[in-house]
Every structure is written in C-alpha cells, then in structure tokens.
Amino acid sequence: QVQLVESGGGLVQAGGSLRLSCVVSGIIVRLNDMGWYRQAPGKQRELVAGITSDGHTKYPESVKGRFTIARDNAKNTMYLQMNSLKPEDTAVYYCNRMNNYGIPIGSWGQGTQVTVSS
C-alpha cells in the first residue's frame, strides 16, 4: 500500500521560498515517475513538477525557473523547492506517482497548505 506524507507548507510573503517534502512508502521513488501537484480553491488539481525514473524533469510555464523537484533515493523522499513565490501559488500541494502523461496514479496523501501573502 502506497503512503504519501507531505509536509513543509506554511505562510510566506510573496518573493519568499519554501521547501516541501513528501515521505513515500510502499513504492521506490527512484523506480517511478513522480510528481508534485497543487489544488487551489475552486480549481482543478494541476501538475507543477514531475520527475521521471531516469531523472528527467518537467514543469509548466507558470512555475518554470522558480520550482525545482528533487528526490532523495536513500530516504525515499520527494522534495519541491519553491522560490520567488507568488500569491497565485497559494494551494494545497500533494505528491503522487504519475504516468507518462503526468496523470496521477493512486490515492492521495493529506497534502500541505501553502499560502503566499501579497
């Protein structure tokens, strides 16, 4: 059974930074394509960063150059470094396994709230 435990969210001023963590159990992150997603109030959940099993990363234009996805194979943990945060980045952030198209696979964790004040 896959378990995903996200942490590291909080309240930050615009222009600030946060580093999110996702401790994963039940699968080996380095053998899977993994992604970070977010869901803002009233909006659909969207992919904000993905990393394939062979280390290729992808980002939507909205976060490219500001967000960086990484993984620690020894800790089986995913990270999302978020810099130059904007109020529109406010959302609940989740990690999950994903397929080749960035579609999430499996159930979700509880997520971690990120709030960016202007």
Side-chain angles (χ1 to χ4, degrees):
Q1 183 178 355
V2 180
Q3 287 192 318
L4 308 159
V5 180
E6 300 91 348
S7 63
L11 175 63
V12 63
Q13 287 188 331
S17 298
L18 283 174
R19 186 195 191 209
L20 307 184
S21 300
C22 176
V23 178
V24 181
S25 58
I27 59 170
I28 300 173
V29 295
R30 65 178 174 83
L31 300 180
N32 286 272
D33 295 354
M34 301 293 297
W36 280 96
Y37 300 80
R38 69 185 180 189
Q39 187 167 23
K43 295 187 177 181
Q44 288 190 332
R45 202 167 300 190
E46 62 174 345
L47 177 70
V48 296
I51 184 167
T52 63
S53 57
D54 56 1
H56 288 99
T57 59
K58 61 179 179 181
Y59 307 90
E61 286 299 321
S62 58
V63 307
K64 195 173 290 184
R66 301 189 297 121
F67 288 12
T68 303
I69 188 171
R71 63 185 178 215
D72 184 324
N73 296 334
K75 295 182 179 180
N76 213 46
T77 298
M78 302 297 303
Y79 299 99
L80 184 68
Q81 178 67 43
M82 305 186 296
N83 299 327
S84 302
L85 283 162
K86 304 176 181 180
E88 51 263 44
D89 295 319
T90 295
V92 180
Y93 285 72
Y94 306 84
C95 69
N96 210 334
R97 195 162 40 139
M98 67 180 191
N99 65 14
N100 290 342
Y101 303 99
I103 305 301
I105 301 171
S107 58
W108 297 95
Q110 85 287 351
T112 186
Q113 175 72 48
V114 172
T115 304
V116 185
S117 63
S118 57

